[in-house]
Amino acid sequence: QVQLVQSGAEVKKPGASVKVSCKASGYTFNDYFIHWVRQAPGQGLEWMGRINPTSGAANFAQKFQGRVTMTRDTSISTVYMDLSKLKSDDTAIYFCARGAAAGVVPFDNWGQGTLVTVSS
Amino acid sequence: DIVMTQSPDSLAVSLGERATINCKSSQSVLYTSNNKNYLAWYQQKPGQPPKLLISWASTRESGVPDRFSGSGSGTDFTLTISSLQAEDVAVYYCQQYFNTRAYTFGQGTKLEIK
């Protein structure tokens, strides 16, 4: 079955960076974009950006441009999201989710989420 | 960016009764060349990731009970649960995927049992 398994919780200090991984299995890795969505405590869902696993090309929400990078390692079907210059309001659960690369579609499978806490 | 606004923010409905959640987009998410609305609904239960319920405004995902239905077109959409079950307690989000440079979600509607 389709699975997206994310790395574990992180605690970071303000100004630091965090790298969260998302390992895909149960489907052809290159057939689906991977999106990153975050959710601050008690808040709604916020799309951060997406990566095309085939080309490695990524696009980001304007809010995160300059602070986020997304990369992939096709040999292990894993995508990484790196967020730099962390602030306290970056404290959130970060989800990866897949959306088909062929055509425009919503996100049909999600990772379990990774809690990132930013605190001094 | 397309702004998605849901109403109400929270809703309490008796078991077996109908629940209705509305979603309005700041611009049309109907792609006229294929007559499809790029609008999805998700359900999120506490401690879980969101689950896709409905895509294209009205197409239920496989395994989603038929008490869930979606309707609407253009800028106004509705998620209806025809007969509320205890397991439907969750937060529901709409999402537009019309603008793939900036996917956006509604703020969420919390559904509880009255």
Side-chain angles (χ1 to χ4, degrees):
Chain A
Q1 76 282 21
V2 174
Q3 277 196 301
L4 298 173
V5 178
Q6 299 182 222
S7 49
E10 303 264 11
V11 179
K12 296 292 182 180
K13 294 195 182 303
S17 298
V18 69
K19 190 168 189 173
V20 181
S21 68
C22 173
K23 182 172 177 59
S25 62
Y27 70 95
T28 302
F29 183 62
N30 286 354
D31 285 351
Y32 290 81
F33 291 151
I34 293 292
H35 300 257
W36 290 89
V37 176
R38 77 177 187 178
Q39 186 170 40
Q43 301 300 308
L45 302 168
E46 181 176 35
W47 181 77
M48 299 179 68
R50 70 177 185 180
I51 182 168
N52 180 335
T54 301
S55 66
N59 63 281
F60 311 116
Q62 191 164 13
K63 174 177 181 177
F64 299 101
Q65 284 183 8
R67 263 205 322 138
V68 67
T69 56
M70 295 178 187
T71 56
R72 92 290 190 215
D73 184 338
T74 56
S75 69
I76 54 171
S77 301
T78 299
V79 168
Y80 303 92
M81 187 280 297
D82 206 313
L83 187 63
S84 63
K85 303 174 187 173
L86 290 169
K87 302 167 283 188
S88 58
D89 60 5
D90 290 318
T91 294
I93 298 174
Y94 289 75
F95 296 101
C96 61
R98 74 166 200 175
V104 178
V105 294
F107 309 158
D108 66 352
N109 278 273
W110 294 62
Q112 82 276 19
T114 297
L115 175 62
V116 175
T117 303
V118 183
S119 174
S120 55
Chain B
D1 293 2
I2 299 175
V3 177
M4 308 299 290
T5 304
Q6 292 181 226
S7 61
D9 289 334
S10 63
L11 181 61
V13 174
S14 300
L15 290 173
E17 296 300 304
R18 178 186 300 260
T20 302
I21 298 169
N22 301 300
C23 175
K24 188 173 185 69
S25 56
S26 62
Q27 63 189 76
S28 176
V29 297
L30 173 64
Y31 192 40
T32 53
S33 66
N34 61 9
N35 201 37
K36 285 189 169 185
N37 287 284
Y38 286 60
L39 188 285
W41 289 97
Y42 296 86
Q43 175 193 64
Q44 187 179 30
K45 296 181 178 180
Q48 296 184 19
K51 173 188 174 184
L52 178 63
L53 294 178
I54 288 172
S55 56
W56 310 114
S58 61
T59 303
R60 266 191 313 274
E61 294 298 297
S62 174
V64 174
D66 61 7
R67 63 180 179 274
F68 290 90
S69 63
S71 63
S73 184
T75 61
D76 291 280
F77 301 91
T78 300
L79 174 70
T80 301
I81 307 171
S82 61
S83 177
L84 189 71
Q85 305 299 303
E87 61 265 31
D88 300 335
V89 168
V91 179
Y92 292 84
Y93 295 93
C94 61
Q95 177 209 30
Q96 65 79 20
Y97 48 102
F98 184 89
N99 178 0
T100 59
R101 307 296 293 180
Y103 297 80
T104 47
F105 294 87
Q107 80 275 18
T109 295
K110 186 175 184 178
L111 177 58
E112 299 173 312
I113 305 292
K114 186 188 288 184

